[in-house]
Amino acid sequence: AQKITQTQPGMFVQEKEAVTLDCTYDTSDPSYGLFWYKQPSSGEMIFLIYQGSYDQQNATEGRYSLNFQKARKSANLVISASQLGDSAMYFCAMREGQYGGATNKLIFGTGTLLAVQP
Amino acid sequence: ETGVTQTPRHLVMGMTNKKSLKCEQHLGHNAMYWYKQSAKKPLELMFVYSLEERVENNSVPSRFSPECPNSSHLFLHLHTLQPEDSALYLCASSQGGGTAARDTQYFGPGTRLTVL
């Protein structure tokens, strides 16, 4: 069965430093997609970055990059040059079937609360 | 309006009330979703609509009744709820249909529901 594990309930990082948020996943499907979302205290889930299981390179989006290690089944999010506005909950999610489908079902982890300190 | 909007943002209701949550997407997407987010739990997928047809119903109690009148609007009708139904209810939309290599779900701001 699909499963997403985020082992860090909470993390602190100093402003302007880099931080890595861990995510491991379990699936028997060779085709899947991995997502990271940010949820500020306002509640909205904001899409950050996507990695497909067949993508040859690690995904990057601005200050966000995904450290994808397929053999280890890990998809860690790296945030470079942290800013105060990065303080939020971060969720890792997985979808089986890289090319989506009618339901596009996402499985979410329990999240990591990141606090950026000045 | 852009993206995905949800109204109301906050809702307090008694167990005997009937209320509805509304979601609207302005992205031209074909699929819409309801999620429930309870404290210290992963997001739970409740319902999925694709091209206005319900394609997934994850064993949700009948006191939650979804409605999708068109591809831009999604409602969640609530009646005789329990205090444990208090949660953040999130709506999302995506292109759907396997038409894109990366079919990302975009979320609304949520409705924070409190059942007394």
Side-chain angles (χ1 to χ4, degrees):
Chain A
Q2 284 181 309
K3 188 176 180 181
I4 292 282
T5 303
Q6 294 179 254
T7 57
Q8 307 154 311
M11 289 194 69
F12 290 98
V13 66
Q14 289 294 122
E15 195 177 7
K16 300 181 184 176
E17 292 186 351
V19 63
T20 298
L21 306 183
D22 295 341
C23 173
T24 58
Y25 59 91
D26 190 18
T27 180
S28 56
D29 193 328
S31 175
Y32 52 88
L34 296 157
F35 300 78
W36 277 92
Y37 285 86
K38 170 185 178 182
Q39 188 178 40
S41 56
S42 58
E44 182 176 359
M45 297 281 280
I46 302 167
F47 166 69
L48 296 178
I49 196 167
Y50 167 83
Q51 179 85 45
S53 60
Y54 295 122
D55 293 346
Q56 294 298 311
Q57 298 198 354
N58 287 347
T60 59
E61 291 283 350
R63 294 187 298 111
Y64 304 108
S65 60
L66 206 151
N67 184 1
F68 181 46
Q69 297 188 41
K70 197 169 180 177
R72 293 186 175 184
K73 292 189 174 179
S74 75
N76 298 339
L77 177 71
V78 180
I79 305 175
S80 62
S82 298
Q83 301 172 355
L84 296 178
D86 294 334
S87 296
M89 281 291 285
Y90 288 81
F91 291 92
C92 181
M94 176 173 66
R95 183 194 70 225
E96 284 182 341
Q98 185 174 6
Y99 290 90
T103 65
N104 193 15
K105 184 174 181 177
L106 280 180
I107 303 296
F108 284 81
T110 51
T112 296
L113 181 60
L114 176 67
V116 180
Q117 297 176 316
Chain B
E1 293 281 13
T2 58
V4 181
T5 58
Q6 289 186 244
T7 54
R9 294 293 310 275
H10 300 272
L11 178 63
V12 179
M13 59 187 288
M15 290 191 284
T16 58
N17 293 156
K18 289 184 180 181
K19 297 286 184 184
S20 295
L21 310 185
K22 179 183 175 183
C23 175
E24 184 173 1
Q25 59 96 0
H26 309 267
L27 300 168
H29 288 165
N30 296 313
M32 295 188 78
Y33 312 77
W34 279 117
Y35 286 88
K36 176 183 179 182
Q37 187 178 29
S38 304
K40 301 188 178 179
K41 282 187 176 182
L43 262 73
E44 301 171 58
L45 180 64
M46 300 175 72
F47 302 104
V48 182
Y49 277 81
S50 178
L51 297 172
E52 301 147 45
E53 284 193 31
R54 192 189 311 179
V55 296
E56 188 139 355
N57 175 349
N58 276 4
S59 304
V60 179
S62 59
R63 56 186 183 268
F64 295 93
S65 174
E67 178 190 2
C68 187
N70 55 61
S71 60
S72 298
H73 293 87
L74 185 65
F75 295 89
L76 188 63
H77 302 299
L78 316 171
H79 64 97
T80 58
L81 294 191
Q82 305 297 312
E84 59 264 29
D85 297 323
S86 298
L88 181 67
Y89 288 85
L90 289 160
C91 173
S93 72
S94 74
Q95 186 61 44
T99 58
R102 184 187 82 180
D103 189 20
T104 302
Q105 292 183 23
Y106 294 91
F107 286 78
T111 294
R112 188 158 303 276
L113 173 67
T114 303
V115 181
L116 301 177

Short mmCIF file of all heavy atoms in Angstrom, two decimals, chain B residues 26-75:
data_model
loop_
_atom_site.label_atom_id
_atom_site.label_comp_id
_atom_site.label_asym_id
_atom_site.label_seq_id
_atom_site.Cartn_x
_atom_site.Cartn_y
_atom_site.Cartn_z
N HIS B 26 -11.22 28.69 -10.87
CA HIS B 26 -11.14 29.59 -12.01
C HIS B 26 -9.98 29.20 -12.92
O HIS B 26 -9.36 30.06 -13.57
CB HIS B 26 -10.96 31.03 -11.52
CG HIS B 26 -11.97 31.44 -10.48
ND1 HIS B 26 -13.15 32.06 -10.79
CD2 HIS B 26 -11.96 31.29 -9.13
CE1 HIS B 26 -13.83 32.29 -9.68
NE2 HIS B 26 -13.14 31.83 -8.65
N LEU B 27 -9.63 27.92 -12.93
CA LEU B 27 -8.44 27.44 -13.62
C LEU B 27 -8.76 26.62 -14.86
O LEU B 27 -7.84 26.11 -15.51
CB LEU B 27 -7.59 26.60 -12.65
CG LEU B 27 -7.13 27.37 -11.39
CD1 LEU B 27 -6.55 26.40 -10.35
CD2 LEU B 27 -6.09 28.42 -11.77
N GLY B 28 -10.04 26.44 -15.15
CA GLY B 28 -10.42 25.64 -16.30
C GLY B 28 -10.14 24.16 -16.12
O GLY B 28 -9.97 23.42 -17.10
N HIS B 29 -10.11 23.70 -14.89
CA HIS B 29 -9.81 22.30 -14.60
C HIS B 29 -11.04 21.40 -14.76
O HIS B 29 -12.17 21.88 -14.77
CB HIS B 29 -9.26 22.17 -13.17
CG HIS B 29 -7.87 22.69 -13.03
ND1 HIS B 29 -7.30 22.95 -11.79
CD2 HIS B 29 -6.92 22.97 -13.95
CE1 HIS B 29 -6.07 23.38 -11.96
NE2 HIS B 29 -5.81 23.41 -13.27
N ASN B 30 -10.76 20.09 -14.86
CA ASN B 30 -11.84 19.12 -15.04
C ASN B 30 -12.13 18.28 -13.80
O ASN B 30 -13.12 17.56 -13.77
CB ASN B 30 -11.49 18.17 -16.19
CG ASN B 30 -11.40 18.89 -17.51
OD1 ASN B 30 -12.29 19.67 -17.85
ND2 ASN B 30 -10.33 18.65 -18.25
N ALA B 31 -11.24 18.31 -12.83
CA ALA B 31 -11.40 17.49 -11.64
C ALA B 31 -11.43 18.36 -10.40
O ALA B 31 -10.68 19.35 -10.31
CB ALA B 31 -10.27 16.46 -11.53
N MET B 32 -12.28 17.99 -9.44
CA MET B 32 -12.36 18.74 -8.18
C MET B 32 -12.44 17.75 -7.02
O MET B 32 -12.95 16.63 -7.17
CB MET B 32 -13.58 19.68 -8.17
CG MET B 32 -13.48 20.79 -9.23
SD MET B 32 -14.78 22.02 -9.10
CE MET B 32 -14.18 23.00 -7.70
N TYR B 33 -11.96 18.18 -5.87
CA TYR B 33 -11.76 17.30 -4.73
C TYR B 33 -12.20 17.97 -3.43
O TYR B 33 -12.02 19.19 -3.28
CB TYR B 33 -10.26 16.95 -4.57
CG TYR B 33 -9.57 16.52 -5.83
CD1 TYR B 33 -9.18 17.44 -6.80
CD2 TYR B 33 -9.28 15.17 -6.05
CE1 TYR B 33 -8.55 17.05 -7.97
CE2 TYR B 33 -8.62 14.77 -7.20
CZ TYR B 33 -8.26 15.71 -8.15
OH TYR B 33 -7.63 15.30 -9.30
N TRP B 34 -12.71 17.17 -2.50
CA TRP B 34 -12.88 17.60 -1.11
C TRP B 34 -11.94 16.79 -0.23
O TRP B 34 -11.91 15.56 -0.32
CB TRP B 34 -14.31 17.39 -0.62
CG TRP B 34 -15.29 18.44 -1.02
CD1 TRP B 34 -16.40 18.28 -1.81
CD2 TRP B 34 -15.29 19.83 -0.64
NE1 TRP B 34 -17.06 19.46 -1.95
CE2 TRP B 34 -16.41 20.43 -1.24
CE3 TRP B 34 -14.45 20.62 0.14
CZ2 TRP B 34 -16.72 21.79 -1.08
CZ3 TRP B 34 -14.75 21.97 0.29
CH2 TRP B 34 -15.88 22.54 -0.31
N TYR B 35 -11.23 17.51 0.66
CA TYR B 35 -10.37 16.90 1.65
C TYR B 35 -10.80 17.37 3.03
O TYR B 35 -11.26 18.50 3.21
CB TYR B 35 -8.90 17.33 1.47
CG TYR B 35 -8.17 16.71 0.32
CD1 TYR B 35 -8.22 17.29 -0.95
CD2 TYR B 35 -7.41 15.57 0.49
CE1 TYR B 35 -7.51 16.73 -2.01
CE2 TYR B 35 -6.69 15.01 -0.56
CZ TYR B 35 -6.76 15.60 -1.80
OH TYR B 35 -6.06 15.05 -2.86
N LYS B 36 -10.55 16.51 4.02
CA LYS B 36 -10.74 16.88 5.41
C LYS B 36 -9.37 16.88 6.09
O LYS B 36 -8.60 15.92 5.95
CB LYS B 36 -11.65 15.88 6.12
CG LYS B 36 -11.83 16.13 7.61
CD LYS B 36 -12.69 15.05 8.24
CE LYS B 36 -12.86 15.28 9.74
NZ LYS B 36 -13.65 14.20 10.37
N GLN B 37 -9.09 17.94 6.84
CA GLN B 37 -7.83 18.01 7.58
C GLN B 37 -8.14 18.21 9.06
O GLN B 37 -8.54 19.29 9.49
CB GLN B 37 -6.93 19.14 7.08
CG GLN B 37 -5.55 19.13 7.72
CD GLN B 37 -4.65 20.22 7.19
OE1 GLN B 37 -5.08 21.28 6.79
NE2 GLN B 37 -3.34 19.96 7.19
N SER B 38 -7.93 17.13 9.83
CA SER B 38 -8.12 17.19 11.28
C SER B 38 -6.77 17.39 11.94
O SER B 38 -5.72 17.10 11.35
CB SER B 38 -8.75 15.89 11.78
OG SER B 38 -9.95 15.63 11.12
N ALA B 39 -6.80 17.87 13.16
CA ALA B 39 -5.56 18.14 13.89
C ALA B 39 -4.72 16.87 13.99
O ALA B 39 -5.21 15.80 14.32
CB ALA B 39 -5.87 18.67 15.28
N LYS B 40 -3.44 17.02 13.61
CA LYS B 40 -2.45 15.94 13.78
C LYS B 40 -2.79 14.69 12.98
O LYS B 40 -2.39 13.58 13.36
CB LYS B 40 -2.24 15.62 15.25
CG LYS B 40 -1.76 16.83 16.05
CD LYS B 40 -1.38 16.48 17.45
CE LYS B 40 -0.87 17.74 18.17
NZ LYS B 40 -0.49 17.50 19.56
N LYS B 41 -3.51 14.86 11.89
CA LYS B 41 -3.79 13.74 10.99
C LYS B 41 -3.42 14.14 9.58
O LYS B 41 -3.51 15.33 9.23
CB LYS B 41 -5.29 13.40 11.02
CG LYS B 41 -5.76 12.61 12.20
CD LYS B 41 -7.22 12.22 11.95
CE LYS B 41 -7.77 11.35 13.02
NZ LYS B 41 -9.17 10.95 12.74
N PRO B 42 -3.06 13.17 8.74
CA PRO B 42 -2.83 13.52 7.34
C PRO B 42 -4.14 13.94 6.68
O PRO B 42 -5.22 13.60 7.17
CB PRO B 42 -2.35 12.20 6.71
CG PRO B 42 -1.98 11.33 7.85
CD PRO B 42 -2.79 11.75 9.02
N LEU B 43 -4.01 14.67 5.61
CA LEU B 43 -5.20 15.02 4.83
C LEU B 43 -5.94 13.77 4.40
O LEU B 43 -5.33 12.79 3.95
CB LEU B 43 -4.82 15.81 3.58
CG LEU B 43 -4.92 17.31 3.66
CD1 LEU B 43 -3.81 17.85 4.51
CD2 LEU B 43 -4.89 17.92 2.27
N GLU B 44 -7.26 13.80 4.52
CA GLU B 44 -8.07 12.66 4.12
C GLU B 44 -8.89 13.07 2.89
O GLU B 44 -9.65 14.04 2.95
CB GLU B 44 -9.04 12.28 5.23
CG GLU B 44 -8.40 11.90 6.54
CD GLU B 44 -9.45 11.76 7.63
OE1 GLU B 44 -10.38 10.95 7.47
OE2 GLU B 44 -9.34 12.48 8.65
N LEU B 45 -8.72 12.32 1.82
CA LEU B 45 -9.52 12.56 0.64
C LEU B 45 -10.94 12.08 0.90
O LEU B 45 -11.16 10.95 1.34
CB LEU B 45 -8.93 11.81 -0.55
CG LEU B 45 -9.65 11.94 -1.87
CD1 LEU B 45 -9.61 13.37 -2.38
CD2 LEU B 45 -9.04 10.99 -2.90
N MET B 46 -11.92 12.97 0.62
CA MET B 46 -13.31 12.60 0.85
C MET B 46 -14.01 12.21 -0.46
O MET B 46 -14.58 11.14 -0.58
CB MET B 46 -14.05 13.77 1.51
CG MET B 46 -13.49 14.20 2.85
SD MET B 46 -14.33 15.67 3.47
CE MET B 46 -15.93 15.01 3.94
N PHE B 47 -13.98 13.13 -1.41
CA PHE B 47 -14.69 12.93 -2.68
C PHE B 47 -13.84 13.47 -3.82
O PHE B 47 -13.09 14.42 -3.66
CB PHE B 47 -16.03 13.69 -2.68
CG PHE B 47 -16.97 13.30 -1.58
CD1 PHE B 47 -17.14 14.14 -0.49
CD2 PHE B 47 -17.68 12.11 -1.64
CE1 PHE B 47 -18.01 13.79 0.53
CE2 PHE B 47 -18.55 11.76 -0.63
CZ PHE B 47 -18.72 12.60 0.47
N VAL B 48 -14.04 12.83 -4.99
CA VAL B 48 -13.41 13.30 -6.22
C VAL B 48 -14.47 13.37 -7.30
O VAL B 48 -15.25 12.42 -7.46
CB VAL B 48 -12.29 12.35 -6.69
CG1 VAL B 48 -11.62 12.91 -7.95
CG2 VAL B 48 -11.25 12.14 -5.60
N TYR B 49 -14.48 14.47 -8.03
CA TYR B 49 -15.34 14.62 -9.19
C TYR B 49 -14.47 14.85 -10.41
O TYR B 49 -13.53 15.64 -10.37
CB TYR B 49 -16.30 15.79 -9.02
CG TYR B 49 -17.53 15.47 -8.23
CD1 TYR B 49 -17.49 15.46 -6.84
CD2 TYR B 49 -18.73 15.17 -8.85
CE1 TYR B 49 -18.62 15.15 -6.10
CE2 TYR B 49 -19.87 14.85 -8.13
CZ TYR B 49 -19.81 14.86 -6.74
OH TYR B 49 -20.93 14.55 -6.01
N SER B 50 -14.79 14.13 -11.47
CA SER B 50 -14.12 14.35 -12.74
C SER B 50 -15.18 14.59 -13.79
O SER B 50 -16.07 13.75 -13.97
CB SER B 50 -13.27 13.13 -13.11
OG SER B 50 -12.66 13.32 -14.36
N LEU B 51 -15.10 15.72 -14.46
CA LEU B 51 -16.12 16.09 -15.45
C LEU B 51 -17.51 15.95 -14.87
O LEU B 51 -18.41 15.39 -15.48
CB LEU B 51 -15.96 15.25 -16.73
CG LEU B 51 -14.64 15.46 -17.45
CD1 LEU B 51 -14.48 14.45 -18.58
CD2 LEU B 51 -14.54 16.88 -18.00
N GLU B 52 -17.65 16.46 -13.65
CA GLU B 52 -18.93 16.55 -12.94
C GLU B 52 -19.50 15.20 -12.50
O GLU B 52 -20.59 15.13 -11.96
CB GLU B 52 -19.98 17.30 -13.77
CG GLU B 52 -19.53 18.71 -14.12
CD GLU B 52 -20.04 19.17 -15.48
OE1 GLU B 52 -21.23 18.95 -15.75
OE2 GLU B 52 -19.25 19.74 -16.25
N GLU B 53 -18.74 14.14 -12.68
CA GLU B 53 -19.19 12.84 -12.18
C GLU B 53 -18.35 12.45 -10.98
O GLU B 53 -17.12 12.58 -10.99
CB GLU B 53 -19.02 11.76 -13.25
CG GLU B 53 -20.07 11.83 -14.33
CD GLU B 53 -20.05 10.56 -15.17
OE1 GLU B 53 -19.72 9.49 -14.62
OE2 GLU B 53 -20.35 10.67 -16.35
N ARG B 54 -19.02 11.92 -9.95
CA ARG B 54 -18.28 11.49 -8.77
C ARG B 54 -17.53 10.21 -9.11
O ARG B 54 -18.13 9.21 -9.52
CB ARG B 54 -19.21 11.24 -7.60
CG ARG B 54 -18.46 11.06 -6.28
CD ARG B 54 -19.33 10.60 -5.15
NE ARG B 54 -20.55 11.38 -5.01
CZ ARG B 54 -21.47 11.12 -4.09
NH1 ARG B 54 -21.28 10.14 -3.22
NH2 ARG B 54 -22.57 11.84 -4.02
N VAL B 55 -16.21 10.23 -8.96
CA VAL B 55 -15.42 9.07 -9.30
C VAL B 55 -14.80 8.41 -8.09
O VAL B 55 -14.23 7.33 -8.18
CB VAL B 55 -14.31 9.41 -10.32
CG1 VAL B 55 -14.92 9.86 -11.63
CG2 VAL B 55 -13.37 10.48 -9.79
N GLU B 56 -14.89 9.07 -6.94
CA GLU B 56 -14.35 8.48 -5.73
C GLU B 56 -15.13 8.98 -4.53
O GLU B 56 -15.43 10.17 -4.41
CB GLU B 56 -12.86 8.82 -5.57
CG GLU B 56 -12.20 8.08 -4.42
CD GLU B 56 -10.81 7.59 -4.78
OE1 GLU B 56 -10.38 7.72 -5.93
OE2 GLU B 56 -10.16 7.07 -3.86
N ASN B 57 -15.43 8.03 -3.63
CA ASN B 57 -16.11 8.37 -2.38
C ASN B 57 -15.46 7.50 -1.32
O ASN B 57 -15.67 6.30 -1.28
CB ASN B 57 -17.60 8.06 -2.50
CG ASN B 57 -18.34 8.29 -1.19
OD1 ASN B 57 -17.75 8.49 -0.15
ND2 ASN B 57 -19.65 8.27 -1.25
N ASN B 58 -14.64 8.12 -0.51
CA ASN B 58 -13.81 7.36 0.42
C ASN B 58 -14.52 7.04 1.72
O ASN B 58 -14.10 7.50 2.78
CB ASN B 58 -12.50 8.11 0.68
CG ASN B 58 -11.48 7.84 -0.38
OD1 ASN B 58 -11.75 7.15 -1.35
ND2 ASN B 58 -10.30 8.38 -0.23
N SER B 59 -15.57 6.26 1.66
CA SER B 59 -16.27 5.80 2.87
C SER B 59 -16.63 6.95 3.79
O SER B 59 -16.42 6.89 5.01
CB SER B 59 -15.40 4.79 3.64
OG SER B 59 -15.04 3.73 2.82
N VAL B 60 -17.14 8.00 3.21
CA VAL B 60 -17.51 9.18 3.98
C VAL B 60 -18.93 9.01 4.50
O VAL B 60 -19.81 8.56 3.75
CB VAL B 60 -17.41 10.45 3.10
CG1 VAL B 60 -17.81 11.68 3.88
CG2 VAL B 60 -15.98 10.60 2.55
N PRO B 61 -19.19 9.38 5.77
CA PRO B 61 -20.56 9.25 6.30
C PRO B 61 -21.56 10.04 5.47
O PRO B 61 -21.23 11.09 4.90
CB PRO B 61 -20.43 9.82 7.72
CG PRO B 61 -18.98 9.71 8.07
CD PRO B 61 -18.24 9.85 6.79
N SER B 62 -22.79 9.56 5.45
CA SER B 62 -23.82 10.17 4.60
C SER B 62 -24.23 11.57 5.07
O SER B 62 -24.93 12.27 4.34
CB SER B 62 -25.05 9.27 4.54
OG SER B 62 -25.56 9.08 5.85
N ARG B 63 -23.80 11.97 6.25
CA ARG B 63 -24.11 13.34 6.69
C ARG B 63 -23.31 14.38 5.88
O ARG B 63 -23.56 15.57 5.98
CB ARG B 63 -23.85 13.51 8.18
CG ARG B 63 -22.44 13.17 8.65
CD ARG B 63 -22.37 13.23 10.17
NE ARG B 63 -21.01 12.99 10.68
CZ ARG B 63 -20.58 11.80 11.02
NH1 ARG B 63 -21.36 10.73 10.90
NH2 ARG B 63 -19.34 11.65 11.48
N PHE B 64 -22.36 13.91 5.07
CA PHE B 64 -21.66 14.76 4.12
C PHE B 64 -22.16 14.40 2.72
O PHE B 64 -22.04 13.24 2.30
CB PHE B 64 -20.14 14.52 4.17
CG PHE B 64 -19.50 14.91 5.47
CD1 PHE B 64 -19.35 13.98 6.47
CD2 PHE B 64 -19.07 16.21 5.68
CE1 PHE B 64 -18.76 14.34 7.69
CE2 PHE B 64 -18.47 16.58 6.87
CZ PHE B 64 -18.32 15.64 7.88
N SER B 65 -22.67 15.38 2.00
CA SER B 65 -23.24 15.11 0.69
C SER B 65 -22.64 16.09 -0.32
O SER B 65 -22.89 17.29 -0.25
CB SER B 65 -24.75 15.28 0.75
OG SER B 65 -25.32 15.16 -0.53
N PRO B 66 -21.84 15.59 -1.28
CA PRO B 66 -21.24 16.50 -2.25
C PRO B 66 -22.17 16.75 -3.43
O PRO B 66 -23.07 15.96 -3.71
CB PRO B 66 -20.00 15.73 -2.71
CG PRO B 66 -20.42 14.30 -2.63
CD PRO B 66 -21.39 14.20 -1.48
N GLU B 67 -21.91 17.85 -4.10
CA GLU B 67 -22.66 18.17 -5.32
C GLU B 67 -21.73 18.93 -6.25
O GLU B 67 -21.03 19.85 -5.83
CB GLU B 67 -23.87 19.05 -5.00
CG GLU B 67 -24.68 19.48 -6.22
CD GLU B 67 -25.71 20.53 -5.91
OE1 GLU B 67 -25.81 20.98 -4.74
OE2 GLU B 67 -26.43 20.94 -6.85
N CYS B 68 -21.73 18.55 -7.52
CA CYS B 68 -20.88 19.21 -8.51
C CYS B 68 -21.76 19.58 -9.70
O CYS B 68 -21.90 18.79 -10.64
CB CYS B 68 -19.73 18.31 -8.92
SG CYS B 68 -18.51 19.11 -9.99
N PRO B 69 -22.38 20.75 -9.71
CA PRO B 69 -23.31 21.13 -10.78
C PRO B 69 -22.63 21.41 -12.11
O PRO B 69 -23.26 21.29 -13.16
CB PRO B 69 -23.98 22.39 -10.23
CG PRO B 69 -23.00 22.95 -9.26
CD PRO B 69 -22.29 21.78 -8.66
N ASN B 70 -21.36 21.81 -12.06
CA ASN B 70 -20.59 22.03 -13.29
C ASN B 70 -19.12 21.92 -12.94
O ASN B 70 -18.77 21.82 -11.75
CB ASN B 70 -20.93 23.39 -13.93
CG ASN B 70 -20.75 24.54 -12.98
OD1 ASN B 70 -19.65 24.78 -12.50
ND2 ASN B 70 -21.84 25.25 -12.67
N SER B 71 -18.26 22.00 -13.92
CA SER B 71 -16.84 21.73 -13.66
C SER B 71 -16.16 22.82 -12.86
O SER B 71 -15.03 22.64 -12.42
CB SER B 71 -16.10 21.52 -14.99
OG SER B 71 -16.20 22.68 -15.79
N SER B 72 -16.82 23.94 -12.65
CA SER B 72 -16.19 25.03 -11.90
C SER B 72 -16.64 25.11 -10.45
O SER B 72 -16.01 25.81 -9.66
CB SER B 72 -16.49 26.38 -12.56
OG SER B 72 -15.97 26.44 -13.86
N HIS B 73 -17.72 24.43 -10.11
CA HIS B 73 -18.28 24.56 -8.78
C HIS B 73 -18.43 23.22 -8.10
O HIS B 73 -18.81 22.22 -8.71
CB HIS B 73 -19.66 25.23 -8.85
CG HIS B 73 -19.62 26.65 -9.29
ND1 HIS B 73 -19.64 27.01 -10.64
CD2 HIS B 73 -19.53 27.82 -8.59
CE1 HIS B 73 -19.59 28.32 -10.73
NE2 HIS B 73 -19.52 28.84 -9.52
N LEU B 74 -18.16 23.24 -6.81
CA LEU B 74 -18.29 22.04 -5.99
C LEU B 74 -18.85 22.46 -4.63
O LEU B 74 -18.40 23.46 -4.06
CB LEU B 74 -16.92 21.36 -5.80
CG LEU B 74 -16.87 20.04 -5.06
CD1 LEU B 74 -17.63 18.95 -5.84
CD2 LEU B 74 -15.43 19.60 -4.83
N PHE B 75 -19.84 21.70 -4.16
CA PHE B 75 -20.44 21.99 -2.86
C PHE B 75 -20.28 20.78 -1.96
O PHE B 75 -20.18 19.64 -2.41
CB PHE B 75 -21.94 22.30 -3.02
CG PHE B 75 -22.22 23.55 -3.80
CD1 PHE B 75 -22.36 23.52 -5.18
CD2 PHE B 75 -22.37 24.76 -3.15
CE1 PHE B 75 -22.61 24.67 -5.91
CE2 PHE B 75 -22.63 25.93 -3.87
CZ PHE B 75 -22.76 25.87 -5.24
#
